[in-house]
Amino acid sequence: MSDDSKEFMQWIDALAKGIIAGCALGFLFSLTGLMSAPKAVVLGGLAGCLASITFKNRQDDKKDGER
């Protein structure tokens, strides 16, 4: 695989993990009764997506600093 496709797959992997983790946390939050389950899962997925983008950017910055 080329370097571009490896980098793309790393981004997809990070986003998928973030979305899944966010949805799971959102569902667990919905069990408290403060928010309906569908709304909590969607908001958790969005928050997980943003968190994974931030995490991936910080990880890439650390790698660039080492080179």
Side-chain angles (χ1 to χ4, degrees):
M1 264 201 273
S2 68
D3 288 339
D4 289 338
S5 60
K6 284 182 184 178
E7 185 176 344
F8 179 71
M9 290 306 294
Q10 289 174 347
W11 273 102
I12 295 297
D13 185 48
L15 281 173
K17 287 178 183 176
I19 291 170
I20 290 170
C23 288
L25 288 174
F27 180 73
L28 291 175
F29 179 76
S30 73
L31 296 177
T32 63
L34 295 175
M35 189 181 294
S36 65
K39 185 185 270 186
V41 169
V42 169
L43 288 175
L46 289 174
C49 182
L50 293 174
S52 65
I53 290 171
T54 303
F55 179 75
K56 180 74 171 107
N57 281 334
R58 294 186 76 195
Q59 199 174 37
D60 288 347
D61 289 344
K62 285 182 183 178
K63 285 182 183 177
D64 291 340
E66 291 175 359
R67 292 181 188 174

